[in-house]
Amino acid sequence: MAQATSPPETRGEARAEARAYSSDAAGLGRARAGIFAAPALLLVAAFLVFPALWVLYLALTNYRLTGVAAAEPEFVGLGNLLDAVADPAFWNSTLLTTQFVLGSAVIGQVGLGFTIAWLLRDRLGPLKRLVEGLVILAWILPGAIVSFLWVALLDRDGGTLNALLGLPGFAWLLDHPMLSIIVFNTWRGTAFSMMLYGAALANVPPSHLESARLAGASGWQQLRDVVFPHIRGHILTNLLLISLWTFNDFTPFLLTAGGPDGKSEVLAVHVYKVALQSGELGYGAAISAIILLINLIVAVFYLRLLRSKR
């Protein structure tokens, strides 16, 4: 019996419909997939895209919180950006932010997080859960509460640290403001690195480490030749996220308010003082635009490095 065949027009329509439905993984088609994604896209546009465009617009004006410029701002073009580049306070904040990122993110959080994850990789029982719980607790507590605890810890007169070290009257936040906020942010943000590296180390084949030990490799050689090659993608991803989060962190303001005399005024605090305390929104927006550009450059550098490693 001869098989029934459909007309060429019908087969063509069926193929076109199949292509339309297979244009996305769920088989919804572009139009219906767009409807499902529309609420999320609207939220992204309202809370991310529009504020970013508004900041870029303000950066090109002399907009202020008060005065004539608040009612009738004037277009100044790149004037705010040129003023920021020529401002010594901006470069001082940039240098302090670089120190803050290197000390707190790269050396502090990434290094300490990996160390804790490495020491706890084979541990079982209550000790491991206790250490992980304490580290994560520091991460999930609100910044205002953590800052209050650290102010009490570092207080000159009745501070806990001075009592333990026998240094009455030593002003940590005044004499060593950058060191104080670097240690504070390291303590507070180590949990993310610890959890990420803990998951990464769990995927390192134990047989590779055992082979390295049998071959006489030292602990450092095992890390360099076995562990790091397996988790280098996790390391770069963690460095990217931690660096960007630390670069834009405003929490140091709660400890030192940028003082004394601007010695801990990182860029996030500098923007706050310029834009809100001084009322120069246009100039503050220009500095924010520069910060956005720096973030993009850092992100592109890390992503290119990650792709080259892969």
Side-chain angles (χ1 to χ4, degrees):
M1 180 181 295
Q3 295 181 349
T5 58
S6 57
E9 296 82 0
T10 304
R11 292 197 300 270
E13 293 175 358
R15 284 195 296 270
E17 185 176 358
R19 283 195 299 271
Y21 275 95
S22 62
S23 59
D24 63 277
L28 296 173
R30 293 181 180 177
R32 280 179 283 186
I35 294 174
F36 278 101
L41 294 177
L42 289 175
L43 290 175
V44 171
F47 293 102
L48 292 178
V49 178
F50 174 74
L53 295 177
W54 181 248
V55 167
L56 294 178
Y57 163 73
L58 290 179
L60 302 176
T61 69
N62 66 341
Y63 193 87
R64 294 183 57 90
L65 282 177
T66 59
V68 178
E72 298 178 359
E74 297 179 358
F75 182 79
V76 297
L78 299 178
N80 287 327
L81 295 174
L82 297 177
D83 291 342
V85 172
D87 186 3
F90 167 76
W91 290 110
N92 176 66
S93 295
T94 303
L95 177 61
L96 293 176
T97 303
T98 303
Q99 296 176 6
F100 185 52
V101 172
L102 291 177
S104 172
V106 178
I107 299 175
Q109 296 181 46
V110 174
L112 182 59
F114 178 82
T115 302
I116 296 176
W118 178 255
L119 294 176
L120 296 179
R121 69 191 188 282
D122 296 327
R123 302 288 181 181
L124 297 174
L127 178 61
K128 179 178 181 180
R129 291 193 294 270
L130 176 63
V131 174
E132 290 178 341
L134 290 176
V135 175
I136 294 175
L137 181 63
W139 188 43
I140 64 176
L141 284 175
I145 297 176
V146 176
S147 300
F148 175 80
L149 294 175
W150 271 76
V151 169
L153 173 70
L154 303 176
D155 185 66
R156 172 189 294 183
D157 298 322
T160 307
L161 183 60
N162 284 344
L164 293 175
L165 298 179
L167 297 173
F170 192 87
W172 293 94
L173 296 177
L174 295 178
D175 296 335
H176 302 284
M178 282 302 299
L179 177 62
S180 298
I181 64 175
I182 286 174
V183 174
F184 160 77
N185 199 58
T186 300
W187 174 83
R188 184 167 181 258
T190 298
F192 180 83
S193 297
M194 180 195 69
M195 292 187 294
L196 188 146
Y197 287 135
L201 291 173
N203 293 323
V204 177
S207 58
H208 292 190
L209 289 173
E210 184 63 26
S211 299
R213 281 194 292 267
L214 292 176
S218 63
W220 165 246
Q221 290 173 331
Q222 294 176 37
L223 288 174
R224 183 191 62 190
D225 300 330
V226 179
V227 176
F228 288 154
H230 276 89
I231 67 171
R232 59 188 177 188
H234 298 81
I235 294 175
L236 291 174
T237 301
N238 187 44
L239 278 172
L240 171 61
L241 295 176
I242 295 296
S243 297
L244 294 180
W245 291 343
T246 305
F247 194 93
N248 301 285
D249 191 14
F250 184 73
T251 311
F253 180 83
L254 301 177
L255 265 71
T256 64
D261 298 326
K263 293 181 180 179
S264 61
E265 191 173 300
V266 294
L267 279 173
V269 177
H270 182 61
V271 171
Y272 169 78
K273 289 188 172 183
V274 168
L276 297 181
Q277 290 188 352
S278 300
E280 302 178 49
L281 283 181
Y283 184 47
I287 300 175
S288 299
I290 296 176
I291 293 175
L292 175 62
L293 179 61
I294 296 174
N295 286 335
L296 290 176
I297 293 174
V298 172
V300 170
F301 170 75
Y302 274 122
L303 291 176
R304 289 178 65 89
L305 188 61
L306 181 61
R307 290 173 181 173
S308 65
K309 291 295 183 182
R310 287 179 176 174

